[in-house]
Amino acid sequence: MGAMDYLRHAPRMFIKRGPPLYLVFFVTDRCNARCRHCLFGDGSVFPDVASELSLDEIERLTEKMGRLMFLLPTGGEPFLRQDLGEIVGAFYRNTGVRNVVIPTNGSLTDRVLSTVEKVLSSCPEITLGIDVSLDAVGEKHDEIRGFPGLFSTAVTTFRELKRIEEKDPRLNVNIESTVSSFNDRLLDENYEYFVRELKPTALFTLLTRGNPKEPASLNFDIGRYLKYAERLEKGLLSGELSGYRHFPFSDFINAKRIIRHKLIARIVGENRFILPCYAGRLGAALFANGDVYPCELHTDMKLGNVRDYGYDFREIWRGPEARKARKRIRKERCFCTYECFLTLNILFNPLYLPRVLLHWLRIKLSRARRC
């Protein structure tokens, strides 16, 4: 992936009109885990599996979508779709997207490995991230995820992916932990295990949100979250964690993560609007049945369904429901802790650029001192 694949989107820092740059695509509603903190664990949002967009429909959709900067195929468990590699390929060919990150619970080792190999082979300019979810160590992780034996399988998946990463720098293999009331006391223990036994390049967190299967998961201690975030920052600056390295502007993403953790803790602590949200302008959510929303948390703002518009995403994006959603988000000064769109809100907000540059410089200087 070249620098121009990013720089072509730079004007959107000042001009927020146009197609979305960042798409979160729930490729499937299916999941083989029963996570206690699951965002849609109450079952109130996802439609029937039979209504999932087919590969042919996704091909048609991507042909009319416009250029994307970033794609997050998620679920459910995205690797339950046997055609996930072909889905990524359709977006790669037709939208020009070059940065794709896929989260996984790590349960389908062979499927994950074969799909990754397929994507790397068919998409030569891609930067592919696979984020393996590990919330705790051993049986505690299995308990949180409602899946006996998952921890062992996920660790195997992670280690096998690292073998591919060693041969192909286009692949970034990371560990993501969802912080909830079920594991906020275990974060330091997790860190020690991850760094000692798995040696990841990057660790990062998601904070429980939405309408989780067990509402008690929202009773996390934000102080513990922030303390863990500070440890991640120290790990990056000390070299214990290397962070992203192998694509243009990767240290901007590393710097953004430092800012994002602190921003999330502040949003939770103060429970108020702090910076503008670009959902519906720079970011979009596409559900498995073709429904389009400005954000996965705003299912009260359906913009349309791609099947009703001849798979022309741009028509939905320019339509009256999209205009109403953007106006409402601005007027209500919408705020939340949704990490994906906070990435947009930080990187494409000119007022935050000095902060990003400051942490970028800290990372560069700390790396130079270790050389």
Side-chain angles (χ1 to χ4, degrees):
M1 182 173 185
M4 285 306 301
D5 291 294
Y6 290 98
L7 290 175
R8 65 163 47 97
H9 300 295
R12 298 295 293 279
M13 182 175 289
F14 306 98
I15 303 171
K16 300 302 190 289
R17 296 186 301 276
L21 301 181
Y22 194 128
L23 180 68
V24 178
F25 180 17
F26 293 86
V27 296
T28 183
D29 306 332
R30 290 169 283 161
C31 192
N32 53 359
R34 295 294 179 266
C35 302
R36 299 170 70 185
H37 55 250
C38 179
L39 173 66
F40 299 121
D42 64 354
S44 63
V45 175
F46 283 151
D48 294 334
V49 171
S51 66
E52 290 178 1
L53 292 171
S54 69
L55 180 59
D56 286 343
E57 289 178 303
I58 293 168
E59 185 78 37
R60 294 174 64 186
L61 166 71
T62 58
E63 289 172 351
K64 299 179 180 181
M65 189 157 195
R67 296 194 71 88
L68 279 175
M69 182 181 74
F70 185 88
L71 173 68
L72 180 76
T74 186
E77 168 52 44
F79 286 96
L80 283 170
R81 283 202 67 147
Q82 296 187 36
D83 57 0
L84 181 59
E86 287 79 6
I87 292 172
V88 173
F91 277 93
Y92 178 87
R93 290 191 309 274
N94 298 327
T95 72
V97 71
R98 295 295 181 262
N99 197 320
V100 178
V101 173
I102 310 174
T104 178
N105 63 27
S107 62
L108 303 168
T109 304
D110 291 343
R111 178 81 58 79
V112 172
L113 298 178
S114 62
T115 300
V116 166
E117 295 278 19
K118 179 183 296 184
V119 170
L120 292 174
S121 174
S122 62
C123 306
E125 297 179 15
I126 201 168
T127 295
L128 178 64
I130 304 295
D131 295 340
V132 180
S133 296
L134 291 173
D135 301 328
V137 177
E139 292 181 358
K140 181 61 178 178
H141 175 74
D142 298 348
E143 176 196 333
I144 292 171
R145 294 271 165 172
F147 193 142
L150 180 58
F151 178 79
S152 177
T153 306
V155 166
T156 297
T157 301
F158 178 85
R159 286 178 167 149
E160 291 301 314
L161 285 169
K162 291 294 287 185
R163 295 179 189 275
I164 301 175
E165 183 185 46
E166 290 171 1
K167 300 174 183 177
D168 195 330
R170 293 176 299 157
L171 177 64
N172 299 286
V173 185
N174 314 291
I175 294 174
E176 70 174 19
S177 300
T178 301
V179 178
S180 71
S181 64
F182 307 128
N183 70 342
D184 59 358
R185 293 173 175 82
L186 306 174
L187 296 175
D188 283 335
E189 174 186 330
N190 291 353
Y191 184 95
E192 295 293 342
Y193 178 89
F194 296 156
V195 171
R196 182 182 69 249
E197 299 294 334
L198 302 181
K199 299 177 174 56
T201 55
L203 296 172
F204 65 97
T205 61
L206 303 176
L207 193 62
T208 302
R209 61 187 186 276
N211 299 303
K213 181 179 180 181
E214 296 188 28
S217 61
L218 292 167
N219 298 330
F220 48 76
D221 186 323
I222 196 61
R224 294 191 182 105
Y225 169 90
L226 183 57
K227 182 180 177 182
Y228 185 63
E230 291 168 350
R231 185 161 191 186
L232 296 181
E233 179 181 350
K234 290 177 182 177
L236 178 62
L237 295 176
S238 70
E240 194 169 45
L241 300 169
S242 62
Y244 290 137
R245 296 293 300 276
H246 300 298
F247 59 91
F249 308 108
S250 55
D251 277 331
F252 277 86
I253 305 303
N254 294 327
K256 174 270 302 178
R257 284 232 171 111
I258 294 173
I259 296 169
R260 191 177 68 185
H261 279 127
K262 296 175 180 177
L263 182 62
I264 287 172
R266 186 180 168 198
I267 290 171
V268 172
E270 300 179 17
N271 191 34
R272 68 177 183 86
F273 172 94
I274 293 175
L275 78 169
C277 180
Y278 301 139
R281 286 184 281 173
L282 299 182
L286 174 64
F287 280 19
N289 70 337
D291 284 343
V292 179
Y293 297 91
C295 166
E296 67 183 48
L297 295 178
H298 261 306
T299 54
D300 56 336
M301 295 186 188
K302 180 178 173 180
L303 309 186
N305 186 290
V306 296
R307 287 173 171 141
D308 298 331
Y309 288 81
Y311 304 96
D312 191 339
F313 186 96
R314 291 170 295 187
E315 186 176 350
I316 294 175
W317 201 246
R318 294 190 294 256
E321 294 304 317
R323 290 194 296 271
K324 284 194 292 186
R326 287 190 278 269
K327 182 177 180 181
R328 178 178 159 189
I329 289 169
R330 286 194 299 267
K331 182 179 179 180
E332 295 182 358
R333 293 163 65 87
C334 189
F335 68 92
C336 70
T337 63
Y338 183 25
E339 288 84 358
C340 292
F341 284 5
L342 280 176
T343 292
L344 283 174
N345 299 346
I346 293 168
L347 292 178
F348 284 85
N349 186 328
L351 297 180
Y352 271 76
L353 183 58
R355 304 186 200 188
V356 176
L357 289 172
L358 174 61
H359 289 290
W360 172 85
L361 181 60
R362 291 177 66 214
I363 294 169
K364 293 294 188 184
L365 289 176
S366 65
R367 201 171 282 151
R369 284 194 295 268
R370 296 194 303 271
C371 292

